[in-house]
Amino acid sequence: MQTTASSRSQIPTLRAVAELAGVSTSTASRVITGSPQVTEDSVARVTAAIAELGYVPNRAARSLVRRQPQTIAMMIPERTAEFFADPYFAEVIQGAAAYASSTDYSLTLLIESESDPEKTHQVLSRGNVGGALILSHHSASEAYFTLSRSLPVVFGVRPPGGEDADIHVVDVDNVAAAALAAGHLVERGAVRVATITAPLDTSAGRERLQGWRDTLESAGLAPGGWEEGDYTPAGGAAAMRRLLERADTFDAVFVASAQMASGALGVLQSRGVRVPEDVAIATLDNNYFSTSTTPPLTTVDLHTEEKGAMMVQALVRLIEGATVDTEVFVPITLVERESTAL
Amino acid sequence: MQTTASSRSQIPTLRAVAELAGVSTSTASRVITGSPQVTEDSVARVTAAIAELGYVPNRAARSLVRRQPQTIAMMIPERTAEFFADPYFAEVIQGAAAYASSTDYSLTLLIESESDPEKTHQVLSRGNVGGALILSHHSASEAYFTLSRSLPVVFGVRPPGGEDADIHVVDVDNVAAAALAAGHLVERGAVRVATITAPLDTSAGRERLQGWRDTLESAGLAPGGWEEGDYTPAGGAAAMRRLLERADTFDAVFVASAQMASGALGVLQSRGVRVPEDVAIATLDNNYFSTSTTPPLTTVDLHTEEKGAMMVQALVRLIEGATVDTEVFVPITLVERESTAL
DNA sequence: CTGAAAGCGCTTACAG
DNA sequence: CTGAAAGCGCTTACAG
């Protein structure tokens, strides 16, 4: 109590800035909000006063008067397993938080209640957040369709059923990413390219499968075998075992995520299959799972951190009334490593 | 703009609640804040009105008048690698966010600028957060010592140099956790227990080594060999390779984190060492890395998610002026799995 | 126990 | 371009 009180009294207000600068709070406020209707002289004096006092606007007061909380909610899935296993969320969050810190908005974490989507809706629609970022793949995201009519919302994945809906999505082009990885395998000389897919009940899973298929087709190659994984190393390993049991052999495999690829690589090596000599591997995600294996894996960097930043950027624009494309693609880049070396 | 405006007009205010309940806003406010000086009848009527309107207090207004932002900052390390590789942060964050949602506080993510701690200090001390949670191990956390004099702060790890400082720490008892795991190995009959440590420039690393040492000593066993790891599977694997090169053999190993244990296990198996028959393994962290290996690993659950919740709980108490222990221990539990089966 | 009133720290028409 | 004034939605002494 005492600590708090004493610290509070130190914090400079707009009034203090205005007094020091010798202007009214109105003028000081105009300078701070970047209003054009102020003289250069006012700007200089207020700016100096702000610097001298280390003034930072009170968010609560600003939010109250603007009727617009300077807060963005990042909805994170309640189902912990999904959230934990994957560095994906951490990267998106990191990127989003970093970008948010460069804006006037703060990023707050909200658990989405999957058992009770109505509750989540409540929390978001009651005026305490300026907009929301939706990350989950599977969840009952239809609830967010309605929400996005009354609150700015940006999705990190196109939600199931959201093909026609008037929603905003910031995501990687999964077809293109898969095609980039598979294409690299083909260019390198592979002629029998198998794949381990991401879960096919997600759009990302289906699109990555599609990208692989398209690539082989346009290269005039017959599609190789494919098995479904679940985004985990163990799932990738299991899929690789099934792939090896099949009649059709392969000289390369496109694995739809680095976590799965690390598991699949282990199986290959335990069977004495040499990578890249016998089987080349290309995957997606430039993270720990593609850099720390032996050999390290050729992959497509999905720029997940940048994705987080782009989501916040799109949302802030939406909140501030600017026009935002309904679909924004996050850049992708091929990173060549030993797993496809010649 | 239009969307936003229309949605705003829907949001019920305290005044609307008061009118519906037939009381003044003062009384309505008292009911909401749980003041004792209201009649049962008032409580009933206001409560009903709140439910009917779906009223949620405006955080900005409340923060403004209370001079206390209803916001808790979770400081996350700028150094991305550390943050990404480990499910630890994600678990703590999840637990913290979930607990925060049951309070009046919202959890906001702030990147701590390690290159410029002064900047982080600025952000926190300028009155826009009610308190802060500090997670990082290494960082220049001394800056937070000063901060904790003017702002409620809870550390997730005792910062270097923070032995005597008057700070609040919520953490697992690392010595006890290591002793629990190592003790299980001993009870099971191991007589030559080696260890792979966490980085020894962290207090957690040193304490876990200590717990292993204490256990062997009190069991009357000579300390086995030890090698330092870096919290990653690759680091655990490297440490295990070094351990195997040493003269002293071992029939069990305590690995100070599950990520390292998964790497170490791989090395053992690739050398034809059977787990648990030839070497038993016990580790810390009950996460993906201890459950998904073959065999699954006996471990000490550090209740990381609960830790996040406890950190928020302690911080909220601090903010609200209650007394909080300077040191709070997160519970630990042994989880027996195949890696130590007899 | 209750209500009228003041005020938290800002922003923004409004008048000049 | 500038300042005085009103007001954002709450909470809390103050008086009754």
Side-chain angles (χ1 to χ4, degrees):
Chain A
M1 190 61 234
Q2 190 210 347
T3 320
T4 310
S6 73
S7 79
R8 301 273 347 161
S9 58
Q10 312 282 85
I11 299 175
T13 64
L14 219 213
R15 168 171 302 187
V17 170
E19 276 171 11
L20 183 59
V23 298
S24 69
T25 56
S26 313
T27 298
S29 177
R30 287 192 188 97
V31 170
I32 289 165
T33 55
S35 161
Q37 40 180 351
V38 273
T39 51
E40 251 180 60
D41 182 53
S42 295
V43 173
R45 300 168 67 180
V46 172
T47 307
I50 288 173
E52 185 170 337
L53 298 175
Y55 170 76
V56 171
N58 179 303
R59 302 178 75 87
R62 177 176 278 184
S63 294
L64 183 59
V65 64
R66 288 193 181 166
R67 274 109 142 254
Q68 176 70 262
Q70 307 292 104
T71 296
I72 285 173
M74 161 88 72
M75 306 306 301
I76 65 178
E78 186 176 34
R79 233 165 331 138
T80 55
E82 187 185 349
F83 181 66
F84 289 169
D86 208 316
Y88 171 81
F89 288 107
E91 290 186 31
V92 174
I93 289 175
Q94 175 100 2
Y99 185 86
S101 75
S102 74
T103 72
D104 283 340
Y105 293 81
S106 73
L107 191 71
T108 129
L109 246 36
L110 242 43
I111 308 283
E112 42 179 316
S113 174
E114 293 182 4
S115 50
D116 184 3
E118 197 42 49
K119 188 185 160 202
T120 302
H121 189 112
Q122 269 270 118
V123 173
L124 292 178
S125 63
R126 264 20 191 164
N128 286 319
V129 308
L133 261 23
I134 315 294
L135 270 187
S136 21
H137 299 237
H138 304 272
S139 85
S141 3
E142 300 110 68
Y144 293 119
F145 291 175
T146 16
L147 188 69
S148 69
R149 273 183 228 124
S150 59
L151 184 81
V153 171
V154 169
F155 292 81
V157 175
R158 182 166 300 282
E163 286 70 23
D164 316 307
D166 178 26
I167 58 176
H168 295 271
V169 180
V170 173
D171 197 5
V172 108
D173 181 337
N174 282 293
V175 177
L180 185 53
H184 179 67
L185 257 12
V186 170
E187 274 172 33
R188 189 193 160 283
V191 292
R192 294 180 313 270
V193 183
T195 187
I196 292 174
T197 75
L200 294 176
D201 61 348
T202 65
S203 58
R206 291 187 298 271
E207 288 164 14
R208 291 173 188 189
L209 177 59
Q210 186 63 43
W212 165 81
R213 226 172 228 149
D214 292 353
T215 302
L216 297 188
E217 188 171 323
S218 59
L221 297 173
W226 61 269
E227 291 290 343
E228 186 173 356
D230 63 356
Y231 277 127
T232 72
M240 178 52 83
R241 276 183 222 108
R242 293 197 303 273
L243 223 40
L244 291 169
E245 281 164 15
R246 296 169 61 116
D248 39 353
T249 61
F250 50 91
D251 56 5
V253 58
F254 160 62
V255 187
S257 91
Q259 287 212 66
M260 296 194 290
S262 69
L265 173 66
V267 169
L268 246 19
Q269 292 177 325
S270 72
R271 306 280 176 101
V273 178
R274 295 170 305 165
V275 176
E277 295 82 352
D278 302 329
V279 170
I281 299 182
T283 187
L284 305 185
D285 301 323
N286 192 18
N287 59 24
Y288 180 81
F289 293 92
S290 46
T291 57
S292 69
T293 50
T294 314
L297 305 176
T298 288
T299 195
V300 173
D301 190 329
L302 267 22
H303 296 280
T304 313
E305 207 172 331
E306 188 170 352
K307 172 172 168 167
M310 291 172 74
M311 287 179 73
V312 174
Q313 186 176 48
L315 186 55
V316 168
R317 285 192 185 143
L318 231 35
I319 290 173
E320 296 183 344
T323 314
V324 176
D325 290 337
T326 23
E327 182 144 42
V328 177
F329 285 121
V330 179
I332 54 179
T333 30
L334 181 71
V335 181
E336 298 184 39
R337 298 214 178 88
E338 280 183 53
S339 69
T340 58
L342 279 178
Chain B
M1 189 62 236
Q2 189 211 348
T3 320
T4 311
S6 72
S7 79
R8 302 269 351 157
S9 57
Q10 313 281 85
I11 299 175
T13 64
L14 219 214
R15 168 171 301 187
V17 170
E19 276 171 9
L20 183 57
V23 298
S24 69
T25 55
S26 314
T27 297
S29 177
R30 288 192 188 97
V31 170
I32 289 166
T33 56
S35 160
Q37 41 180 349
V38 273
T39 51
E40 252 181 59
D41 184 52
S42 294
V43 173
R45 298 169 67 180
V46 172
T47 307
I50 287 172
E52 184 170 339
L53 297 174
Y55 171 77
V56 171
N58 180 304
R59 301 178 75 87
R62 175 176 280 184
S63 295
L64 183 59
V65 66
R66 288 192 181 166
R67 276 111 140 248
Q68 175 70 262
Q70 309 292 104
T71 296
I72 286 173
M74 160 88 74
M75 305 307 299
I76 65 179
E78 185 177 36
R79 234 167 328 139
T80 54
E82 188 184 348
F83 180 66
F84 289 169
D86 209 316
Y88 171 81
F89 288 106
E91 289 186 32
V92 174
I93 289 176
Q94 175 100 3
Y99 184 86
S101 75
S102 75
T103 73
D104 282 341
Y105 295 80
S106 74
L107 189 73
T108 128
L109 247 36
L110 241 43
I111 308 283
E112 43 179 317
S113 174
E114 294 181 5
S115 50
D116 184 4
E118 198 41 52
K119 189 186 158 199
T120 302
H121 189 111
Q122 268 269 120
V123 172
L124 291 178
S125 62
R126 265 18 192 166
N128 286 318
V129 309
L133 262 23
I134 315 294
L135 270 186
S136 17
H137 300 238
H138 305 272
S139 86
S141 3
E142 300 111 68
Y144 293 118
F145 291 175
T146 17
L147 188 69
S148 70
R149 274 184 228 122
S150 60
L151 184 81
V153 171
V154 169
F155 292 81
V157 175
R158 182 167 299 281
E163 285 69 24
D164 315 307
D166 178 27
I167 57 174
H168 295 270
V169 180
V170 173
D171 197 4
V172 108
D173 181 338
N174 281 293
V175 178
L180 184 54
H184 179 67
L185 257 11
V186 171
E187 273 173 34
R188 190 191 161 282
V191 292
R192 296 181 310 271
V193 183
T195 187
I196 292 174
T197 76
L200 293 176
D201 62 347
T202 66
S203 57
R206 291 187 300 271
E207 289 165 12
R208 292 174 187 188
L209 177 59
Q210 187 62 44
W212 165 81
R213 227 172 228 149
D214 293 353
T215 301
L216 297 188
E217 188 171 323
S218 60
L221 297 172
W226 62 268
E227 291 291 343
E228 186 173 355
D230 63 355
Y231 278 127
T232 71
M240 177 52 81
R241 274 182 222 108
R242 294 197 303 273
L243 222 41
L244 290 170
E245 282 163 16
R246 296 169 62 115
D248 39 353
T249 60
F250 50 92
D251 56 6
V253 58
F254 160 61
V255 187
S257 91
Q259 287 211 66
M260 295 193 291
S262 70
L265 173 67
V267 169
L268 246 20
Q269 292 177 326
S270 72
R271 306 279 178 101
V273 178
R274 293 169 307 163
V275 176
E277 293 82 354
D278 303 330
V279 170
I281 299 181
T283 187
L284 305 185
D285 302 323
N286 191 17
N287 59 24
Y288 180 81
F289 292 93
S290 46
T291 57
S292 69
T293 50
T294 312
L297 305 176
T298 287
T299 195
V300 173
D301 190 329
L302 267 22
H303 295 280
T304 314
E305 207 173 330
E306 187 170 354
K307 171 172 170 166
M310 291 172 73
M311 288 179 72
V312 174
Q313 186 177 47
L315 186 56
V316 168
R317 285 192 186 143
L318 232 36
I319 291 173
E320 297 181 345
T323 315
V324 176
D325 291 337
T326 25
E327 181 145 42
V328 177
F329 285 121
V330 179
I332 54 178
T333 30
L334 181 70
V335 181
E336 299 185 38
R337 298 215 178 88
E338 280 182 52
S339 69
T340 58
L342 281 177

